[in-house]
Amino acid sequence: MVIRRRVHRIRRRPKRFTRGMKQTLFLFLVFVFLLFIALSVRIYTLNRDNGDAYKKQVFSQQSYTNKVLNYRRGAIKDRNGTILAQSVRKFNLILEPRTILADPEVKADTLAMIARYFSFDTSVIEQILAEHPESMYQHVEGLKELTRKQISGFQEEVEENKKKKKEKDKKKIQGVWFEEVFTREYPLDTIGANVVGFTSSENQGTYGVEGSYNDRLNGKNGREYGYFDANMDFQRTVKKAMNGNSVVLTLDANVQRIVEQQIKKYNKDVGAKNIGVLVMNPKNGEILAMASQNRYNLNEPGDLSLMYTQEEIAGMDEETTSKNLMAMWSNFCIAYDYEPGSTFKPFTVAAALDEGTVKDSDSFGCSGVRNVAGTEIHCAVRSGHGVVSLQQSLMESCNSALMKIGEDLGRANFSKYNKIFGFGQRTGIDLPGESAGLIHTEEELNPVELATSSFGQTQTVTMVQMAAGFSSLLNGGNYYQPHIVKEIQNENGAVVESTEPVVVKRTVSEATSRLIRKYMKATVEEGTAKPAQVKGYSIGGKTGTAEKRPVTDKKYLVSFIGCVPAEDPQAVVYVIIDEPNVEDQAHSTYATEYASKIMKKILPFLGIYSDAEETPVPSAEEGQPAGNDPAAEDGKPEEGTPTEEE
């Protein structure tokens, strides 16, 4: 018999979600929500205040890189685009010691490859690894500033190694990369050294344009941050470098090269304590050439060998070496002040003409000496010039006539025109190290001082002051601020800043300027400046012979300041020879003959041609600023018969 059991299903009443339970749940959710908000706020504040620190901690536990992306400093070019200074891309080998030391095979393969490609002693690297085991960035002395050619073989093998399919065939080369850097190079070595200047190892300009335009030439470094994550994917952020602007000069490298070669040649043939040559456009203030015998190689600015013998260098102590370096680096044409001598006379005559204290038709008597307040002051021609016209007072460089002109002008007007012509003050040329010179105040211009100052003694000037002031005498009375930079270009060559000619002031009237041009032409054609003539050209100018202090030493600075063409000057050429190495220095002929040689060579490059030429083309040899010395001539320069002057 089958016994069936009846199973009774017991129905359970569903539990009710009571009010108390709802409240508890609500409170729990509120608590969780508030906790979430609190955590979010905390995370935000931690990230805001300490985010970078925590990131660094995370990155320090991973393969992390932090590269500086170096900017390229802008180039310096001449007016025709010739490169005078440029930054060249090079590479520094960088080690990651922590990566290399993580695996003995990596270390062995990596060091072996460095030794093979760079013929490098790996003991140096071993020492770096031992001293900086946790570092991810270490330079290696001896493996800096490598060229692309030097590193290409290493890079190619690394890439080939990565492409190998079998792991056993691969070398474990890790923890080495190349940092891009830029080094400053000067393709023309010595050309324009005192104008261009040089840079320190930190890309800071020193002297010259490198110094005065340092901020425009420099850019801003970029940076690359990155790390390999858990999946070995490289995560990175790149802030690009901002390259510097390039500076285009008013300088003509061909003219500059010829001038420097002629200075070198004169020193070889004759010699002098110093020589300065400045070429300027009188119609806009542009400096076309500026040189002295302070020569050095821009690629080795600490090398004194172009100025001194090895014996002299070896005998210098630290203080003397430093002093000689600074003198060598300085720009003679703007930093050295001196008594100009008779090249100052056109300024005195121009001031007197403009003030109406003298006329073109006036004449003056010269007995060879003039008594000024009880002091006898002699003319260069002790027997006297006799009666001379105003034009002849400049042509024959008569001191007596100029003393009379200065006396009639008066000390108040003389002092006023000193300032109008820019003497005793910096011109504001865009180069560092400019001197202001030293002139007499109005109160100091007693009769004797006024007399001697009228013909260029007892006051000091600089070459750039003289050239700028003389340009204004020739161009109708416009004083242009002299400048060396023509424009600023960005890295793509677009002009971002242009230097427009600035007329700072008016100096003399057009009528006075016209007479000065006439007098200057006559001085070269018939007066003391005859040796400055250049066949086929109309030249104007004035000579100068300044006796240096103390007068008992019988040392002289001779000079010539001229223009071409005389009727409508396109270029002003100023030459000074400080203490020529001759027995009798007191003759301006040394400067005028030298100026003639320079003008003959540079004028075609300036686009100024002789009457017999239409469009002469300079030889290919002379047209290359980096070439040999086409301007130099064999043998000694022709010597003329010195003419008595002051």
Side-chain angles (χ1 to χ4, degrees):
M1 182 175 75
V2 178
I3 299 175
R4 293 182 179 177
R5 294 181 179 178
R6 183 174 292 178
V7 179
H8 297 280
R9 291 183 179 176
I10 301 174
R11 291 185 177 180
R12 296 182 179 178
R13 291 183 179 181
K15 292 183 179 181
R16 296 180 62 187
F17 201 58
T18 65
R19 182 183 181 88
M21 294 171 64
K22 290 180 180 179
Q23 289 177 340
T24 302
L25 179 60
F26 176 75
L27 291 173
F28 177 74
L29 290 175
V30 169
F31 172 76
V32 171
F33 180 71
L34 291 175
L35 182 62
F36 175 76
I37 292 176
L39 287 172
S40 298
V41 171
R42 181 59 177 162
I43 291 171
Y44 170 77
T45 57
L46 286 173
N47 187 58
R48 182 193 63 192
D49 299 334
N50 304 300
D52 289 341
Y54 289 138
K55 284 179 184 177
K56 290 178 181 179
Q57 288 181 19
V58 173
F59 289 156
S60 69
Q61 297 167 13
Q62 304 178 55
S63 182
Y64 171 69
T65 61
N66 182 355
K67 297 181 184 178
V68 173
L69 303 179
N70 294 294
Y71 65 83
R72 183 198 292 266
R73 185 175 170 92
I76 299 176
K77 312 172 189 177
D78 87 329
R79 65 188 302 114
N80 302 311
T82 302
I83 300 294
L84 303 176
Q86 62 183 346
S87 290
V88 179
R89 183 180 282 104
K90 297 288 182 69
F91 302 89
N92 293 338
L93 186 144
I94 303 299
L95 297 175
E96 296 177 356
R98 179 144 55 92
T99 302
I100 295 172
L101 294 174
D103 185 336
E105 290 186 41
V106 169
K107 177 182 176 183
D109 289 350
T110 302
L111 267 60
M113 189 166 168
I114 291 173
R116 180 155 54 91
Y117 274 95
F118 300 107
S119 301
F120 195 75
D121 183 3
T122 56
S123 64
V124 176
I125 297 177
E126 292 274 13
Q127 185 176 350
I128 293 173
L129 298 177
E131 293 176 355
H132 309 278
E134 294 300 314
S135 175
M136 292 294 288
Y137 181 92
Q138 288 295 318
H139 285 101
V140 182
E141 290 299 329
L143 294 178
K144 290 182 178 181
E145 297 184 6
L146 303 169
T147 64
R148 173 73 72 181
K149 184 178 181 180
Q150 287 176 300
I151 70 170
S152 60
F154 187 98
Q155 290 180 316
E156 288 169 7
E157 182 162 335
V158 169
E159 290 303 314
E160 288 297 322
N161 188 63
K162 290 179 181 178
K163 295 176 183 178
K164 292 179 180 178
K165 295 181 179 180
K166 295 181 180 180
E167 288 296 324
K168 66 177 183 178
D169 295 334
K170 289 185 177 181
K171 293 179 181 178
K172 293 187 176 182
I173 305 166
Q174 296 177 24
V176 178
W177 52 279
F178 295 96
E179 175 186 53
E180 185 180 82
V181 294
F182 295 95
T183 60
R184 203 66 168 164
E185 293 185 0
Y186 302 89
L188 303 188
D189 294 328
T190 62
I191 304 301
N194 300 115
V195 174
V196 175
F198 54 93
T199 60
S200 68
S201 57
E202 290 78 28
N203 250 354
Q204 294 303 305
T206 305
Y207 291 89
V209 173
E210 292 276 32
S212 57
Y213 283 82
N214 184 65
D215 291 343
R216 291 177 177 86
L217 288 162
N218 270 348
K220 292 183 179 179
N221 283 333
R223 193 169 290 274
E224 179 182 305
Y225 305 91
Y227 67 94
F228 289 97
D229 61 20
N231 298 319
M232 293 306 292
D233 293 324
F234 188 66
Q235 307 295 330
R236 69 177 178 177
T237 301
V238 178
K239 181 181 179 182
K240 292 184 177 179
M242 183 185 298
N243 292 329
N245 291 324
S246 291
V247 174
V248 179
L249 306 185
T250 60
L251 213 68
D252 186 309
N254 280 313
V255 176
Q256 182 75 21
R257 173 186 56 84
I258 292 172
V259 167
E260 291 184 17
Q261 289 169 343
Q262 289 299 309
I263 291 174
K264 183 180 177 181
K265 184 179 188 303
Y266 187 92
N267 273 319
K268 180 181 178 182
D269 295 340
V270 182
K273 181 179 179 180
N274 214 326
I275 299 172
V277 179
L278 193 153
V279 184
M280 183 175 179
N281 185 335
K283 296 191 173 185
N284 57 20
E286 291 184 350
I287 303 297
L288 304 172
M290 179 182 278
S292 72
Q293 66 187 45
N294 291 344
R295 298 178 64 241
Y296 66 97
N297 190 328
L298 286 165
N299 293 298
E300 299 180 66
D303 183 4
L304 286 161
S305 62
L306 292 180
M307 295 289 293
Y308 302 93
T309 65
Q310 290 301 322
E311 290 76 17
E312 288 173 329
I313 295 172
M316 295 178 190
D317 57 23
E318 186 175 343
E319 183 179 350
T320 304
T321 299
S322 178
K323 180 181 177 181
N324 289 337
L325 282 172
M326 287 189 286
M328 182 177 73
W329 296 333
S330 68
N331 188 330
F332 179 84
C333 297
I334 66 173
Y336 180 69
D337 56 280
Y338 54 92
E339 295 182 16
S342 290
T343 50
F344 191 86
K345 289 176 180 176
F347 294 97
T348 303
V349 171
L353 282 168
D354 237 41
E355 283 297 313
T357 59
V358 71
K359 301 187 299 297
D360 179 43
S361 58
D362 286 350
S363 59
F364 310 88
C366 173
S367 63
V369 64
R370 184 176 177 83
N371 189 296
V372 179
T375 300
E376 289 190 345
I377 303 176
H378 292 271
C379 193
V381 179
R382 294 300 179 99
S383 59
H385 288 98
V387 178
V388 295
S389 66
L390 182 61
Q391 175 173 295
Q392 288 173 327
S393 73
L394 292 177
M395 288 172 56
E396 304 301 326
S397 204
C398 178
N399 287 353
S400 295
L402 264 293
M403 285 188 274
K404 172 60 175 166
I405 293 169
E407 179 184 317
D408 292 343
L409 181 62
R411 70 177 186 175
N413 281 330
F414 189 90
S415 179
K416 180 180 75 173
Y417 276 91
N418 254 344
K419 295 172 184 175
I420 289 174
F421 292 132
F423 301 121
Q425 54 196 297
R426 295 178 178 86
T427 65
I429 188 172
D430 45 347
L431 285 169
E434 183 182 8
S435 173
L438 188 62
I439 63 173
H440 296 298
T441 64
E442 181 180 338
E443 293 72 24
E444 293 170 339
L445 281 170
N446 297 314
V448 172
E449 285 72 24
L450 179 60
T452 55
S453 296
S454 69
F455 57 82
Q457 297 282 180
T458 71
Q459 296 193 130
T460 65
V461 299
T462 66
M463 290 191 73
V464 70
Q465 282 177 345
M466 287 289 287
F470 190 70
S471 292
S472 76
L473 295 185
L474 304 172
N475 67 21
N478 293 317
Y479 186 101
Y480 286 97
Q481 184 171 35
H483 59 279
I484 196 70
V485 170
K486 191 176 184 68
E487 62 188 27
I488 309 293
Q489 299 176 348
N490 65 19
E491 60 179 309
N492 298 316
V495 177
V496 296
E497 185 180 336
S498 183
T499 304
E500 299 297 329
V502 176
V503 178
V504 179
K505 54 194 169 184
R506 292 278 299 173
T507 58
V508 294
S509 66
E510 174 59 48
T512 295
S513 178
R514 193 180 307 115
L515 283 174
I516 294 297
R517 292 196 297 269
K518 173 189 168 188
Y519 298 165
M520 294 299 94
K521 181 179 180 182
T523 302
V524 173
E525 290 183 348
E526 306 171 48
T528 59
K530 278 184 180 180
Q533 293 179 2
V534 179
K535 186 177 180 180
Y537 288 92
S538 173
I539 307 291
K542 183 71 187 77
T543 55
T545 304
E547 189 173 21
K548 299 179 69 174
R549 309 299 182 216
V551 295
T552 53
D553 288 351
K554 299 297 180 183
K555 301 292 185 182
Y556 293 83
L557 182 147
V558 295
S559 59
F560 170 80
I561 190 165
C563 61
V564 59
E567 299 81 6
D568 181 23
Q570 306 297 310
V572 164
V573 179
Y574 187 23
V575 169
I576 68 172
I577 302 177
D578 186 12
E579 298 183 24
N581 188 23
V582 293
E583 186 174 343
D584 185 5
Q585 297 178 357
H587 301 290
S588 61
T589 303
Y590 302 120
T592 49
E593 288 183 341
Y594 181 58
S596 176
K597 291 177 183 294
I598 289 176
M599 286 190 287
K600 182 179 179 181
K601 291 183 178 297
I602 69 173
L603 292 179
F605 285 100
L606 296 176
I608 304 172
Y609 305 117
S610 71
D611 297 336
E613 297 172 308
E614 292 184 359
T615 55
V617 179
S619 69
E621 184 181 19
E622 285 191 293
Q624 299 299 320
N628 292 325
D629 191 348
E633 302 168 358
D634 294 330
K636 284 194 171 186
E638 296 177 4
E639 297 290 344
T641 303
T643 57
E644 285 291 334
E645 196 188 356
E646 287 82 6

